[in-house]
Amino acid sequence: MALDNSAPPAGSAGGTPPAAGTPDAPAPGLENLLTEDRRFPPDPAFAAQANAHAELYSWANSARLEFWAEQARSLLDWAEPFQEVLDWSGAPVARWFGDGRLNAAYNAVDRHVAAGHGDRVALHFEGEPGDTRTLTYADLQREVSRAAHALTELGVQTGDRVAIYLPLIPEAVIAMLACARIGAPHSVVFGGFSAEALHTRILDADARVVITADGGYRRGAASALKPTVDEALAKGSGDVVRRVLVVRRTGQDVPWTEGRDVWWHDAVDRAPDTHEPVAVEAEHPLFILYTSGTTGKPKGIFHTTGGYLTQAAWTHLNVFDLKPETDVYWCTADVGWVTGHTYVVYGPLINGATQVIYEGTPDTPHRGRWWEIVQKYGVSILYTAPTAIRTCMKWGEDVPGGFDLSSLRVLGSVGEPINPEAWTWYRRVIGGDRTPVVDTWWQTETGAIMISPLPGVTVAKPGSAQTPLPGIAADVIDDDARSVPNGSGGYLVLTEPWPSMLRGIWGDEQRFRDTYWSRFAGIYFAGDGAKKDEDGDIWLLGRVDDVMNVSGHRLSTTEIESALVSHPSVAEAAVVGATDDTTGQAVVAFVILRGGAAERSPEETATELRAHVAQQIGPIAKPRTILVVPELPKTRSGKIMRRLLRDVAEHRQVGDATTLADSSVMDLIQQGLQKPA
Ligand code: 6R9
């Protein structure tokens, strides 16, 4: 979650909204991204076959509710059709399709089998050690049915919560769908989280059952998961009897609590392989997903069924131009993140897609592993994060160059602003200079993609998410909630309810109102800064608290990072604003150099990089300090934790680093810090 890399947004954890600078006048230094003038018009051949077309915007603009109602009817099967489209009388809690009933697992699996597609591959699983499994939709139907029976046997009833703490293996998808099948909201906790984090999440959601595995494979070794669950439950589990369902993945020894722990293969494999899905109300909770703030307890964002599935399916079909019969789709996210929920599990399966899931890291056992997978399965749609793209840039284009990537036809990006250099590299090196690239802006809270180009329709601008999707209303506003004119920056807000919007924070409605709806009355404040260019297209500038104020000038961390990365010596950059006696804040940059550049003296490099930033943005944006580092601290979802870098920049003891993907990175940075230039 984005909040990992910064302070919480306005009102979060009861705090006061950040006093960001007045965004209504274009501040010097925010111009650079907007001078990016490369344009990538849709290829006519692609446009001719595209799912999306320009008229979708006018249709949705003139009849937004009808547009969504039509998507809900055509993309989903309803056990009981809805009459009511939106009830906003309880704002900010929306009810979409409120009088309809449906089942998510039935929509994701059974109806494809019923329609004669049982033999279509749903999942090509690639384990990190190289083991593989293929599950067709018919296989998935049997597995999900068995698991649903097993959960019922363990005492799970409709409405009960189930925690899922698994590696990215087929059972993760099966477990989520089995919960959905019986109407038990799942709460997936990323397998890299600690016992403490798992414990808080189990308690907050009051989960009756925890589904886990003995372990999983990561970076060439089997790592254990089950002991973390034991530790989490040992911290006290309230007065609830909790059961633990354990998948055997690695075969390693596991501590066992008789009477509580059950092997998946014992409970699931012998269960009947047909099961009647439970049709729930459209507003029945489908899942809870925790997003960590920097302060306060994590927020259990919860989503409901009908609206969420509608927008998940529509966006997946149109933003990625999915052709279910022929495409092989791969989203590299783990199911522990919202991207894995919406674009590994629900969106693709609702649409009957064939997809790849991969358990491990991109460089195990070699740096070409991802591209080898693309070649092996003929992946045609790839969805990943800018941090992964920049890592591949760092490794060099020879690596992907060694594989046949000609099957790719659409590339997607999510999670952070993608700087224009990474965007063009992605398109050129991975996409063979031919594929559309879609930069998709959304959040755990929004449930599905909100702002993105549509492939085959939009003339793409590298670095910009560009346009709210049809049926979505977004704007950039100033401190007084006035829409800013084109060419100006401000706060990104969503001005109309959308089907996949969060319905709240689990067990804390007040916090939901305070966090998202209080900064601007009645308007959803996303916590991101953005700019409109002269065409009105939206450029994301990062969290508002990533906006620095240097000598009264607003500078965006993203923009300076983008300028640094456009220098040939720089592989990756992270910029923070450090308190400075004279200028208020000063720009401090942490850079990872590319292979050859690392041999030069840090002083020489820093001088050159400063001049480069001055030339790209303006002298005001020149970093005061440039630190050459071997790695950057990132969360497991790939977001840079600037908060920790700020501690380094301000010579403080480094704060809580437990949500880092690799907690040794901060030691590495501090030990290896070359003399600040
Ligand atoms: C899907 C996801 C949400 C935050 C969001 C923003 C950042 C995501 C982005 C992007 C610029 C994009 N973000 N996509 N910023 N361009 N295409 O990442 O959800 O983990 O909740 O993070 O991520 O700051 O507010 P989540």
Side-chain angles (χ1 to χ4, degrees):
M1 166 61 192
L3 304 187
D4 268 347
N5 67 2
S6 56
S12 148
T16 43
T22 311
D24 51 6
L30 282 177
E31 297 306 316
N32 158 280
L33 282 177
L34 304 183
T35 58
E36 170 57 57
D37 55 6
R38 286 169 285 190
R39 297 289 178 270
F40 295 83
D43 171 48
F46 188 102
Q49 61 82 64
N51 292 348
H53 47 87
E55 292 71 38
L56 289 170
Y57 292 104
S58 38
W59 172 21
N61 276 342
S62 60
R64 197 171 54 88
L65 296 186
E66 250 169 60
F67 169 83
W68 284 120
E70 171 55 26
Q71 307 313 331
R73 289 191 186 104
S74 63
L75 296 172
L76 300 175
D77 278 11
W78 294 80
E80 214 171 287
F82 60 89
Q83 303 300 325
E84 180 184 286
V85 181
L86 169 69
D87 176 2
W88 191 228
S89 61
V93 181
R95 289 175 57 83
W96 282 87
F97 319 123
D99 55 350
R101 298 179 80 88
L102 76 169
N103 181 277
Y106 175 82
N107 274 279
V109 182
D110 301 62
R111 64 181 182 138
H112 303 310
V113 180
H117 306 309
D119 292 339
R120 185 184 296 164
V121 173
L123 300 177
H124 286 294
F125 166 69
E126 174 93 9
E128 198 189 73
D131 57 319
T132 60
R133 270 167 76 188
T134 302
L135 281 97
T136 63
Y137 276 92
D139 295 333
L140 204 52
Q141 186 181 34
R142 285 187 287 270
E143 295 298 329
V144 172
S145 297
R146 287 193 180 107
H149 282 296
L151 288 175
T152 306
E153 289 265 300
L154 289 175
V156 180
Q157 297 180 354
T158 303
D160 287 347
R161 274 80 58 205
V162 173
I164 298 178
Y165 186 68
L166 282 171
L168 187 48
I169 55 176
E171 284 78 4
V173 178
I174 294 165
M176 289 165 75
L177 293 172
C179 290
R181 198 170 184 92
I182 59 175
H186 51 73
S187 164
V188 182
V189 180
F190 177 65
F193 273 126
S194 65
E196 181 55 42
L198 180 59
H199 177 239
T200 350
R201 287 159 175 76
I202 290 172
L203 282 193
D204 189 76
D206 193 14
R208 302 291 143 141
V209 166
V210 183
I211 306 178
T212 188
D214 50 358
Y217 293 97
R218 218 122 181 107
R219 297 185 201 287
S223 65
L225 278 178
K226 172 67 165 52
T228 313
V229 175
D230 293 334
E231 204 186 319
L233 292 180
K235 288 174 186 289
S237 58
D239 49 5
V240 190
V241 180
R242 302 180 206 274
R243 306 294 300 270
V244 181
L245 187 57
V246 189
V247 177
R248 183 138 70 201
R249 165 69 183 133
T250 59
Q252 65 205 111
D253 283 342
V254 284
W256 205 255
T257 305
E258 287 302 334
R260 186 197 70 183
D261 300 349
V262 188
W263 281 111
W264 175 283
H265 54 261
D266 286 338
V268 175
D269 292 1
R270 61 178 165 75
D273 64 7
T274 57
H275 177 273
E276 190 59 39
V278 177
V280 295
E281 290 180 359
E283 284 299 336
H284 186 77
L286 179 61
F287 66 85
I288 306 172
L289 186 59
Y290 286 85
T291 67
S292 39
T294 44
T295 57
K297 59 176 197 159
K299 294 176 286 200
I301 303 299
F302 76 93
H303 285 281
T304 57
T305 309
Y308 170 79
L309 294 179
T310 300
Q311 197 173 328
W314 189 85
T315 52
H316 183 256
L317 206 58
N318 288 279
V319 174
F320 301 113
D321 192 48
L322 177 85
K323 307 288 192 281
E325 305 79 20
T326 47
D327 275 316
V328 179
Y329 165 86
W330 182 22
C331 166
T332 64
D334 189 276
V335 291
W337 310 114
V338 75
T339 307
H341 281 62
T342 310
Y343 298 107
V344 175
V345 181
Y346 292 107
L349 296 176
I350 295 285
N351 289 332
T354 292
Q355 67 177 319
V356 172
I357 57 171
Y358 169 56
E359 178 187 27
T361 49
D363 53 350
T364 309
H366 58 79
R367 289 178 168 181
R369 184 71 188 271
W370 273 18
W371 316 119
E372 191 176 69
I373 292 173
V374 168
Q375 174 179 294
K376 174 174 173 184
Y377 295 100
V379 172
S380 54
I381 303 171
L382 179 69
Y383 191 30
T384 193
T387 177
I389 299 163
R390 288 191 300 262
T391 303
C392 293
M393 289 172 76
K394 183 166 63 181
W395 292 341
E397 33 190 285
D398 288 356
V399 180
F403 298 90
D404 178 6
L405 307 182
S406 60
S407 54
L408 288 169
R409 60 179 205 92
V410 179
L411 301 177
S413 171
V414 61
E416 280 181 275
I418 178 165
N419 43 292
E421 289 319 307
W423 193 104
T424 48
W425 188 93
Y426 193 27
R427 182 183 144 107
R428 179 177 61 79
V429 177
I430 306 303
D433 239 341
R434 107 197 97 71
T435 59
V437 173
V438 286
D439 174 11
T440 63
W441 180 90
W442 60 295
Q443 309 176 295
T444 305
E445 292 86 342
T446 69
I449 299 172
M450 303 293 284
I451 306 178
S452 168
L454 284 174
V457 178
T458 313
V459 177
K461 300 177 177 177
S464 173
Q466 296 186 272
T467 323
L469 290 175
I472 299 300
D475 200 357
V476 180
I477 62 175
D478 66 15
D479 278 311
D480 302 321
R482 285 176 311 217
S483 181
V484 305
N486 288 352
S488 297
Y491 307 105
L492 180 68
V493 292
L494 302 167
T495 52
E496 295 286 349
W498 62 101
S500 65
M501 68 196 294
L502 74 164
R503 300 303 196 262
I505 294 177
W506 192 256
D508 201 345
E509 197 189 318
Q510 193 55 45
R511 190 174 177 193
F512 167 58
R513 292 173 185 271
D514 291 346
T515 306
Y516 305 104
W517 303 93
S518 69
R519 175 68 180 81
F520 304 105
I523 299 178
Y524 176 89
F525 174 42
D528 283 10
K531 249 192 130 156
K532 290 183 198 165
D533 68 13
E534 293 304 338
D535 304 322
D537 281 330
I538 295 174
W539 297 69
L540 274 305
L541 297 173
R543 305 293 302 186
V544 283
D545 23 32
D546 286 345
V547 175
M548 297 169 291
N549 194 321
V550 179
S551 305
H553 298 295
R554 286 186 74 226
L555 294 171
S556 143
T557 54
T558 306
E559 190 182 26
I560 302 177
E561 285 164 9
S562 193
L564 285 165
V565 174
S566 73
H567 188 280
S569 303
V570 177
E572 271 207 86
V575 166
V576 298
T579 315
D580 186 283
D581 288 347
T582 30
T583 57
Q585 278 187 309
V587 181
V588 177
F590 295 77
V591 297
I592 304 179
L593 298 179
R594 283 180 199 262
E599 283 140 35
R600 312 223 326 267
S601 86
E603 289 80 6
E604 208 182 321
T605 309
T607 310
E608 198 175 311
L609 292 181
R610 267 205 212 95
H612 180 71
V613 173
Q615 181 246 322
Q616 290 278 304
I617 305 176
I620 179 71
K622 276 202 292 196
R624 181 194 71 188
T625 314
I626 295 184
L627 299 163
V628 177
V629 292
E631 285 297 338
L632 291 171
K634 287 181 190 152
T635 64
R636 295 176 177 99
S637 60
K639 296 186 205 305
I640 295 170
M641 286 188 81
R642 293 189 179 76
R643 168 170 71 79
L644 299 179
L645 293 174
R646 218 171 290 136
D647 290 341
V648 173
E650 296 180 346
H651 311 289
R652 262 195 310 275
Q653 188 173 357
V654 173
D656 182 7
T658 49
T659 54
L660 282 183
D662 176 356
S663 53
S664 63
V665 166
M666 286 318 293
D667 296 338
L668 210 64
I669 290 177
Q670 290 192 303
Q671 283 159 17
L673 268 191
Q674 312 195 7
K675 199 164 103 352

